[in-house]
Amino acid sequence: AMNETVVVPLNNATTVKGVCAALGISHEGFTTDKFYNNVELHDEKYKMEGSNGKTLVKTRFGPPKSYERALAKEKEGIAKLGEKWQGLRDLNRVTFEFEDPLILTLVYHALVTKYNVYGLKNKFSNDIYATYSQPPDIHMNLDLGEGWLVEVQLMFSSILDIKKELHTYYDVIRASEPRVIFAPLFEKAPSLV
């Protein structure tokens, strides 16, 4: 649903005003600014690296959380927060990937307009995250309807690359026993010789 309602219209639009119209969001804050009024979205600086020339945003859908991990996370949440624990919010996950803050901002506004926001963290904010334990992003939990919650991350491509590398360490820390990680942790870089 998010691809059809957000990604496809954005990737097909050519101007900020066109994006706002396609996504059903107000263009007031964007098109009153002289800079945004003249932005050609398919200029090289907005496009995704290695894209077909039209891609401004990509989505990556994570695999659903395994039953075992869901149970473990539920137990951890209850142990940590007790009655304040509100349950799992990340059984389904999607990452929106961008090269440019303008495109991230447009997608953010589209998501909060189209879906009910159940949780929101701005991990770019220095006020909240003075030291980073995770790569910075906009982290949201959205209700797609009837209580179906999905974890959404809005992230820049280069930060996503760093996150992928960090996830290997996360897997090591979370390993239930040593044999789980008895394999090369990283792919070897190709030889230059």
Side-chain angles (χ1 to χ4, degrees):
M2 288 184 183
N3 271 338
E4 292 79 28
T5 61
V6 177
V7 175
V8 171
L10 192 142
N11 283 335
N12 287 332
T14 57
T15 64
V16 172
K17 194 169 186 174
V19 167
C20 293
L23 297 179
I25 59 178
S26 172
H27 62 82
E28 288 304 314
F30 296 106
T31 56
T32 53
D33 184 297
K34 290 179 185 176
F35 170 77
Y36 294 129
N37 225 2
N38 298 316
V39 168
E40 171 55 48
L41 292 177
H42 292 286
D43 184 294
E44 284 299 314
K45 66 182 172 185
Y46 297 105
K47 289 188 262 185
M48 300 288 299
E49 190 173 306
S51 75
N52 62 3
K54 289 184 73 173
T55 306
L56 301 169
V57 59
K58 291 181 194 175
T59 50
R60 296 172 184 257
F61 292 87
K65 190 174 290 300
S66 72
Y67 179 71
E68 294 78 19
R69 180 65 189 135
L71 284 178
K73 193 165 183 182
E74 183 74 11
K75 286 179 185 176
E76 291 166 12
I78 292 169
K80 185 176 179 181
L81 298 174
E83 290 183 19
K84 291 183 181 180
W85 174 247
Q86 296 179 354
L88 296 173
R89 298 187 237 174
D90 63 348
L91 293 175
N92 298 104
R93 300 167 284 197
V94 62
T95 299
F96 286 80
E97 179 184 351
F98 315 88
E99 295 288 343
D100 189 85
L102 171 61
I103 307 303
L104 183 149
T105 303
L106 290 166
V107 169
Y108 168 81
H109 284 285
L111 292 173
V112 300
T113 300
K114 294 179 179 296
Y115 301 102
N116 293 320
V117 178
Y118 188 79
L120 175 65
K121 293 179 187 172
N122 179 357
K123 295 183 181 179
F124 290 107
S125 173
N126 286 336
D127 296 340
I128 300 169
Y129 298 94
T131 59
Y132 293 105
S133 61
Q134 297 176 351
D137 67 357
I138 302 292
H139 188 266
M140 308 168 79
N141 295 105
L142 301 178
D143 186 339
L144 301 186
E146 299 181 25
W148 178 19
L149 298 179
V150 62
E151 177 186 84
V152 176
Q153 294 184 27
L154 308 181
M155 190 173 286
F156 297 117
S157 298
S158 56
I159 293 173
L160 186 57
D161 292 340
I162 293 167
K163 180 183 176 191
K164 287 177 194 172
E165 290 294 317
L166 289 175
H167 206 278
T168 300
Y169 298 106
Y170 182 60
D171 289 339
V172 169
I173 291 167
R174 257 190 4 203
S176 57
E177 54 186 333
R179 69 181 178 92
V180 174
I181 56 171
F182 282 165
L185 296 177
F186 297 97
E187 292 181 28
K188 288 186 175 181
S191 175
L192 297 177
V193 181

